[in-house]
Amino acid sequence: MLPAPSLDFKHVSLCLFCPLLGVLPASAPVFPFPPSPTDCVEAHRVCSADLRCEALYRGLERCADQAEVSLLGEQAAAECLERQDALLNKHPALLACKCQRGFRKEEQCLRVYWRVRLLPGEDELEMSPYDDTMMDTRMASLVAASSYMQLDGENQCLKAAQDCGLYEKCGSLRSEYVLACTKRAPGTNRCNQHKCHRALRRFLERVPEEYSLGVLFCPCTNTLCGERRRKTIVPSCSYQEMEGLQPNCLHQQSFCRRDDLCRSRLADFLNNCQPSSVTVSGCLKDSAGLCLRAYAGLIGTIMTPNYISNGSADVSLWCNCEGSGNQWQDCLRLQRMFTHNSCLRECTRLHLSMIFNTTHNNKITNKL
Ligand SMILES: *[C@@H]1O[C@H](CO)[C@@H](O)[C@H](O)[C@H]1NC(C)=O
Ligand SMILES: *[C@@H]1O[C@H](CO)[C@@H](O)[C@H](O)[C@H]1NC(C)=O
């Protein structure tokens, strides 16, 4: 890592030094990708062609199902670990496999990923099920190309929304989620949060990032813009609970962990947005792109974060730490990953004010 430059250049240099973001146009075609890990669906397909492997895998599945219901007894846990060892010795690809965000078989893939890991919660902080070795070239070139852009007084969030509307796929998927998130469920006066979340995930997974991240992280200098940004994800349905009461964050987290998708998106976020005081970007992974993408990945799960007001770029989960008892510190730690996270803050506040030049983005998109 290069030494930290003087403050004046901090904003610009953030972009230049991030591995994902710092790909300059001149060097853009050179992408020395490390080999991608095997996809878990593929790893499992190879395993199931071998009767013994498949039997061990099924055994592990039963372990995971049991563990979900109650804590495994000592003997059961030992048996499960033995099966795991046997499986991984013969088919190490199963432990090294990863998944792709938004792919058709994502849920099937995540299921395999978690079934071969019988680890208790905390270890999830160390890893993400998602494969990020294939850098998104579109995002890299987008960021590099626009790093010289200036933020003027325009309402960037309005601009980002207009740009989305002009691109058919973005406009139609956005209309879909807005409808899903505002329509009242029959016989009630509330929306269907489940449908709203699903439509939001579709939008975020299918629309190119220069549009989707553009509307999520548009830079604002006034409350009119901030209000539009805060309302982007229709927070009255996707973020807040209907009753308006905030649940406990740890309670929400334990719900999240029972769902492969939510659990994966949370692990990805904790992994890619882990703050660090030694990197220039403020992130342990030193990549603002990965952190922003991981944050966006949480939108449409029960751990959906959002801007807390129209006056700042501060974000938070819809939960608090009341009633956490002796787990209060754990709860606070989770909550502060959103409210007091230097990595996330640098990524959302500094980068995107330079990253998104929508005029330029359209040209790049048209070229793809
Ligand atoms: C965005 O990029 C275009 C093309 O490079 C440039 O003409 C325009 O001034 C830029 N806009 C802003 C707000 O910097
Ligand atoms: C910003 O939020 C405040 C507090 O919720 C609200 O009173 C105000 O009308 C909002 N401003 C805009 C421009 O929507």
Side-chain angles (χ1 to χ4, degrees), residues 149-171:
M149 155 223 177
Q150 306 267 311
L151 174 62
D152 54 24
E154 275 182 275
N155 184 333
Q156 296 289 330
C157 290
L158 179 61
K159 218 161 153 242
Q162 285 168 342
D163 283 336
C164 170
L166 291 174
Y167 175 52
E168 198 192 326
K169 191 174 185 183
C170 189

Side-chain angles (χ1 to χ4, degrees), residues 121-128 253 257 267 270-271 274:
E122 288 306 299
D123 295 83
E124 286 162 30
L125 305 190
E126 314 297 329
M127 57 204 171
S128 163
Q253 184 184 37
R257 285 208 171 127
L270 295 176
N271 193 46
Q274 199 61 237

Side-chain angles (χ1 to χ4, degrees), residues 279-349:
T279 59
V280 179
S281 65
C283 305
L284 193 64
K285 282 284 195 77
D286 211 10
S287 166
L290 289 180
C291 175
L292 293 181
R293 186 186 287 167
Y295 173 93
L298 280 173
I299 293 173
T301 70
I302 61 161
M303 303 289 279
T304 297
N306 197 29
Y307 297 98
I308 53 176
S309 78
N310 57 26
S312 78
D314 294 337
V315 299
S316 171
L317 290 171
W318 180 258
C319 62
N320 61 41
C321 286
E322 277 166 39
S324 300
N326 59 6
Q327 289 185 297
W328 190 66
Q329 290 290 348
D330 294 338
C331 183
L332 226 50
R333 204 175 309 128
L334 174 64
Q335 198 180 32
R336 293 172 72 93
M337 272 301 286
F338 294 84
T339 56
H340 293 75
N341 181 334
S342 54
C343 164
L344 185 59
R345 191 179 312 128
E346 292 286 294
C347 295
T348 53
R349 286 191 200 166

Side-chain angles (χ1 to χ4, degrees), residues 222-228 230-231 308-311:
N222 58 54
T223 53
L224 207 63
C225 172
E227 185 69 7
R228 179 176 278 278
R230 189 181 73 79
K231 288 204 172 140
I308 53 176
S309 78
N310 57 26

Side-chain angles (χ1 to χ4, degrees), residues 16-30:
L16 298 182
F17 296 156
C18 293
L20 174 67
L21 303 178
V23 183
L24 294 166
S27 62
V30 188

